[in-house]
Amino acid sequence: MGLSTLTFYFTRYGAIAIFIIVFLEYLNLPGFPAGIIMPLSGIMAAKGNIHFFWVMVITVAAGLLGSLILYGLGRKGGEVFLKAYTNRFPKQKEALEKNLEWVRKKGCLGVFLGKLLPMIRTIVSIPAGVVKMDLGKYVISSACGIFIWNFVFVGAGYVLGDKVFTILGIM
């Protein structure tokens, strides 16, 4: 999904579009790049279409909901889900295996740090579910990581405007 398409949806549907697209991005679905979604949300806030506070609430809620679904899939489906997922997305198999071991060793800190790393941040939820991390600890560590990640990118869009896409190499 390109910048012009996202701009159209964000402009036309506002907060609902932001929520749905961020939610889909946190489900790790291809075509929903955080490097466009988050800064564009910040740009929308800077232009007065939505308050920055609400952008943060919406993006963190959407990110947490998407992450909880992946956590639940990992917890309920465990190894079966991982096998099916890596068969469908074989490029992510190695990252998932590393995440699984990392989450076992690091626990909450692993989830928190994982939420701050590109490509790992969306899939770290699955290993957390597989290792049956305590749900409360998972939610807190995820929400903190999601908040920081979103704040940096939404804030960049808010402060830098359209220049952020040039800086990120998107335009």
Side-chain angles (χ1 to χ4, degrees):
M1 189 172 288
L3 181 58
S4 61
T5 304
L6 284 169
T7 302
F8 169 76
Y9 285 122
F10 280 17
T11 303
R12 181 156 185 172
Y13 301 108
I16 294 168
I18 292 171
F19 182 88
I20 291 170
I21 293 170
V22 171
F23 169 72
L24 294 173
E25 191 268 335
Y26 270 91
L27 283 175
N28 199 36
L29 295 176
F32 298 96
I36 295 175
I37 295 167
M38 300 301 171
L40 185 56
S41 299
I43 292 168
M44 298 294 286
K47 290 181 177 180
N49 296 338
I50 186 170
H51 195 278
F52 183 82
F53 172 81
W54 290 115
V55 171
M56 288 305 302
V57 169
I58 291 165
T59 61
V60 171
L64 192 56
L65 180 59
S67 296
L68 281 167
I69 288 172
L70 291 181
Y71 170 87
L73 288 171
R75 190 169 180 109
K76 298 293 181 193
E79 299 296 326
V80 173
F81 175 76
L82 280 178
K83 184 173 179 166
Y85 185 84
T86 56
N87 284 340
R88 183 167 173 124
F89 303 104
K91 292 180 182 178
Q92 295 184 1
K93 183 176 184 174
E94 184 179 335
L96 271 172
E97 289 171 356
K98 286 180 183 178
N99 274 310
L100 191 59
E101 189 56 34
W102 195 40
V103 170
R104 274 194 186 106
K105 288 181 181 177
K106 303 288 185 190
C108 293
L109 180 61
V111 170
F112 171 74
L113 293 174
K115 292 292 182 182
L116 302 176
L117 300 172
M119 297 180 23
I120 292 175
R121 67 187 192 80
T122 54
I123 60 174
V124 73
S125 302
I126 297 168
V130 171
V131 301
K132 299 192 179 359
M133 174 183 267
D134 176 76
L135 182 61
K137 291 178 180 179
Y138 171 77
V139 167
I140 291 169
S141 56
S142 285
C144 290
I146 289 168
F147 176 82
I148 291 170
W149 175 272
N150 293 6
F151 184 79
V152 167
F153 281 89
V154 171
Y158 187 84
V159 172
L160 300 172
D162 293 335
K163 294 176 193 165
V164 72
F165 297 119
T166 303
I167 293 168
L168 294 174
I170 295 170
M171 290 178 72

